[in-house]
Amino acid sequence: MAAEIHDIDEKFVFTPKLKKTIFTVLGIGVAALVIGMLIAAFGGGHAEHAAEGGEHHAFHWTTKLWASMWVNNVYFTGIALIGIFFVAIQYIASAGWSASILRIPATFGYFLPVAFVLTLIVFAIANRDLFHWTHTYLYDKTSPEFDSILFGKRGYFFIPGAEEASHIPYFYYLRLVAFFAIWMIMFRLIRKETLKEDVNGGIGHYKKLVKFSGAFLVFFGLSSSVAAWDWVMSIDPHWYSTMFGWYVFASWFVSGLAAITLILVLLKDAGYLKIVNENHLHDMGKFVFAFSIFWTYIWFSQFLLIYYSNIPEEGIYFVERLKSDIYSKYIFLNLIFNFFFPFLVLMTRDAKRKSIILKVVCIVVLVGHWFDFFLMVHPGTLKENGGFGFMEIGLTMIYLAVFVYIALNQLSKVPLIAKNHPMLEESIHHHT
């Protein structure tokens, strides 16, 4: 009966004013990017840095552009995936409380085709600038720069079982294309079934969604870790961490939760989702709070194990960040934004129910985890030529504008609430 007195057919209106705001952000981003490129090109954008083999290689400012694009590719791809991941978890867990908010994360997956194209383009153009392991002379035993460690990994990057490294990392490309293809196919299957459920009702579609969600979660568990090794950990090819897959997932997950919560709160403030109450906000706030702690646990565990063992090839990852005049300050900013701030601000029950607090915390967390990926990518690719400036601000605003436009555009095409979700009543009466 309660469902009848609520507007479960409401639709989000993607107004011209909102579109104008997004295009304004996009325009500012383009302007900032152009300024950053001009500063880099005419302000000393050519330099040299020492590679791992000891040789000096010329650095061009365009490498900074590609590295910053790579940061955003990895970051926004993760948020898109977490949107699908969040939906899948709700079906596998038979969760009813979230039935009224599932349409928000379900739109994130539409960014994956854009992310795929950009990731493929950047790697195809700039792989030798960003990834040290792509240089074939490292695998030539007659070369003075022969690298025995990378030689042992050649099959993972190039062709399994091959005696020599090829000029094209075929196996790497295969994984990249396969991961995106399967993610997008699974997302389409889940999305298509949820929209059919809106029309037909019943539990048949729900049962299919449970199966599709289970398949996605299994594949995502494997592919997300391998993607973390490929896209981020291989930037520092002599360094490895058995916890790195979990670390990247934790950063992605908190970012995705913050994005879902922020959009949810903004929609509530705009008068949408009337059946969503402070109890739903409370639960989303608890997720952001809890997984900020989880991210910190993984961060500290990885750091402590490497610090305690003091093995040079492991310690270099933190040494080149903590001892750098460019990157050391971002280590502390990372911890403040991603742990201390959300932990202290969201500690109380009331804080998790106030929209203004959730908005501030989610924005801080999203910024903080962008810097987390910045710290994963820039030091290894750019060495002391990296940094944060107009170029990074501009690119991030461009990616953000595109991501938000795609998500909101898709949100406006279907009802905001999955009205035939079999557990919608539970969500309407949700109380914590």
Side-chain angles (χ1 to χ4, degrees), residues 209-224:
L209 282 163
V210 171
K211 293 178 182 178
F212 292 156
S213 297
F216 173 80
L217 291 177
V218 171
F219 182 74
F220 177 76
L222 171 65
S223 59
S224 61

Side-chain angles (χ1 to χ4, degrees), residues 1 66 78 111 162 248 288 299 311 404 410 428:
M1 183 68 180
W66 300 125
F111 183 76
V248 170
V288 174
W299 187 97
I311 301 172
V404 172
Q410 292 298 329
I428 291 172

Side-chain angles (χ1 to χ4, degrees), residues 193-194 196-197 200-210:
E193 208 62 36
T194 58
K196 283 183 179 179
E197 185 181 63
N200 303 321
I203 62 170
H205 295 295
Y206 185 86
K207 290 180 178 179
K208 284 186 179 180
L209 282 163
V210 171

